[in-house]
């Protein structure tokens, strides 16, 4: 296998720049000590935004390193979401990290290295590239989950995530080895060509199941969701925001590429699995969150439910379905970042509070925050005509166009049930007796919260542009 090194490096320039930049920032931090903490964080944010600008301004396409890496419309779209999630959560974490005393230079370096792994996952065109990207991302995530070494909860969260994540990685690797054993290929195109002759050995189906199980863990899909509530609650809140944003984008993109690219000839087999985990995730997300009192745990179960809704579009196995998934992940990213910006702003007596009851009477003490959070909760519930409504509309429409009427109906019912716990948050804010106001909101959090509120409220103004970008991304597979 031969390849042109110059053209390959040109196609992977954002990834190479981030990897080299992370090494440089690590050296700056090592030799400058704590004096460099703010400098390293600022440069890390600038590096991530520079990668966003490069991908947006110079939309290159093609394959690199002998077909192991692919850059197409779908990869660019999902990379932009992944980079945006990483950059914005890093900005949001500055004040919290300083207050909780884990503002170390290692934190932004780990975020960048994890983001490089995610970008490799999005552009993987080969099982080995996919696994390397996944491991690079995961190893950094295990560390940032426990980055606050003075917190027992954070240490426990990091350990749980590491143990269960290692199990999922082993399942994924075992699935890859089975697929290689039965097809003799590791490249996505080669596997698809080997499957096109209609042969479906039982071992190959087992390999497919193990691969999907490994990826399902990364997107918090049922029944591989068990780590999510504990890690979301135990990890520092900015790290939780990062988990809910960037890795979700990359893992969902990886799942779409594996199913639509590699296993398209056996679509009838993986569709059954996707339909099952979609229904299970929607229903568990709808019912399990009802009794939650911790806002971060509520968002954990909410994320499980939203993954289920996004998978409705993937189950459709159509261009409209992939388009719906892309739009859903964009809107979900905005809603999640806005909600976690609010959670980070829940400070009272110089301490962060996380209980939903702490929101009591917020409409009287800070009506602007209450209005924006109300809009975000309505959008997460899918109330017309906010952004979250259109996200669900596109995936349900794709499912019905593919004849998956039962799946779409179950999704709609789960959406109605899940509205209860979002409405309960709104009720506590507007109708309960005040529990006291919060400290003034940091400027970066105010900016993220305000922009997310504007986006989901006036999504109809951006719907055309977003739809065109998502359609171009979905067209990569068709």
């Amino acid at each position: 296998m031969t390849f042109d090194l110059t053209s390959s490096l040109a196609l992977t320039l954002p990834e190479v720049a981030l990897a080299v930049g992370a090494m440089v920032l690590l050296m700056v931090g090592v030799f400058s000590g704590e004096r460099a903490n703010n400098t390293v964080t600022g440069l890390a944010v600038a590096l991530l935004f520079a990668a966003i600008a490069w991908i947006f301004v110079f939309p290159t396409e093609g394959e690199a390193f002998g077909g192991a890496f692919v850059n197409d419309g779908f990869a660019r779209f999902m990379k932009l979401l992944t980079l945006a999630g990483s950059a914005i959560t890093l900005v949001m974490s500055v004040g919290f990290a300083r207050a909780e005393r884990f503002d170390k230079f290692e934190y932004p370096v780990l975020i960048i290295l994890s983001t490089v792994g995610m970008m490799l996952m999005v552009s993987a065109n080969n099982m080995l590239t996919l696994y390397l990207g996944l491991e690079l991302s995961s190893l950094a995530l295990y560390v940032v989950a426990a980055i606050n070494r003075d917190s027992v909860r954070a240490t426990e969260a990091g350990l749980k995530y590491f143990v269960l994540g290692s199990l999922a990685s082993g399942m994924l690797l075992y699935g890859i080895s089975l697929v290689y054993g039965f097809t003799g290929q590791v490249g996505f195109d080669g596997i698809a060509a080997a499957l096109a002759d209609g042969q479906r050995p039982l071992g190959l189906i087992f390999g497919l199941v193990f691969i999907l199980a490994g990826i399902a863990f990364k997107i918090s899909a049922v029944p591989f969701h068990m780590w999510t509530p504990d890690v979301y609650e135990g990890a520092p809140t900015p790290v939780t925001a990062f988990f809910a944003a960037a890795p979700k984008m990359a893992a969902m993109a990886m799942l779409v590429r594996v199913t639509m690219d590699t296993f398209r000839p056996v679509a009838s087999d993986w569709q059954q699995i996707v339909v099952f985990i979609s229904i299970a995730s929607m229903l568990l997300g709808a019912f399990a969150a009802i009794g939650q009192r911790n806002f971060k745990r509520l968002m954990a179960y909410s994320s499980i439910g939203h993954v289920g809704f996004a998978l409705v579009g993937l189950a459709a196995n159509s261009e409209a379905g992939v388009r719906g998934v892309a739009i859903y992940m964009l809107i979900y990213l905005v809603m999640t970042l806005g909600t976690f910006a609010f959670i980070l702003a829940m400070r009272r007596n110089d301490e962060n509070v996380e209980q939903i009851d702490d929101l009591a009477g917020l409409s009287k003490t800070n009506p602007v925050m209450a209005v924006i959070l109300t809009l975000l909760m309505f959008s997460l519930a899918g109330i017309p005509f906010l952004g979250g409504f259109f996200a669900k509309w596109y995936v349900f429409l794709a499912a019905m166009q593919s004849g998956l009427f039962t799946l779409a109906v179950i999704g709609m019912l789960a959406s109605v049930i899940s509205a209860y716990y979002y409405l309960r948050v709104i009720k506590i804010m507007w109708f309960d007796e005040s529990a006291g106001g919060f400290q003034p909101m940091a400027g970066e959090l105010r900016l993220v919260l305000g922009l997310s509120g504007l986006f989901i409220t006036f999504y109809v103004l951006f719907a055309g542009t977003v739809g065109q970008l998502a359609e171009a991304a979905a067209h990569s597979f068709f």
Side-chain angles (χ1 to χ4, degrees), residues 214-287:
I215 300 176
F217 175 90
K218 299 301 177 183
I219 60 173
S220 307
V222 176
F224 304 98
H225 66 286
M226 66 290 291
W227 63 274
T228 313
D230 292 337
V231 173
Y232 270 47
E233 182 181 9
T237 305
V239 175
T240 304
F242 178 60
F243 284 169
K248 282 279 198 303
M249 303 298 117
M252 185 61 74
M254 180 172 66
L255 179 59
V256 171
R257 190 174 294 282
V258 166
T259 51
M260 304 305 295
D261 237 4
T262 314
F263 294 109
R264 173 70 66 80
V266 290
S268 59
D269 293 309
W270 62 254
Q271 269 184 297
Q272 299 174 47
I273 301 171
V274 172
V275 168
F276 168 75
I277 63 176
S278 174
I279 293 173
S281 299
M282 289 188 293
L283 293 179
L284 184 128
F287 286 104

Side-chain angles (χ1 to χ4, degrees), residues 49-133:
F49 277 114
I52 293 174
W54 181 271
I55 293 172
F56 196 78
V57 175
F58 302 104
T60 55
E61 290 196 10
E63 294 185 353
F65 300 111
F69 182 99
V70 64
N71 217 12
D72 53 18
F74 181 77
R76 290 199 307 275
F77 186 90
M78 297 307 293
K79 280 181 186 178
L80 288 172
L81 298 189
T82 302
L83 286 164
S86 299
I88 294 170
T89 51
L90 192 53
V91 170
M92 287 164 49
S93 68
V94 173
F96 185 96
R98 189 181 301 118
E100 297 295 323
R101 295 176 183 160
F102 69 89
D103 53 335
K104 308 298 183 184
F105 70 86
E106 294 95 333
Y107 177 64
V109 171
L110 287 167
I111 293 291
I112 292 181
L113 290 174
S114 180
T115 305
V116 173
M118 294 175 208
M119 293 173 74
L120 289 177
M121 289 160 57
V122 173
S123 282
N125 197 37
N126 174 306
M127 286 296 180
L128 298 181
T129 310
L130 181 151
Y131 189 74
L132 288 173

Side-chain angles (χ1 to χ4, degrees), residues 24 50 90 116 228 290 297 371 400 404 420 438 477:
V24 171
L90 192 53
V116 173
T228 313
I290 289 175
R297 286 186 76 88
V371 168
M400 289 189 288
L404 301 175
Y420 169 79
F438 295 131
F477 300 111

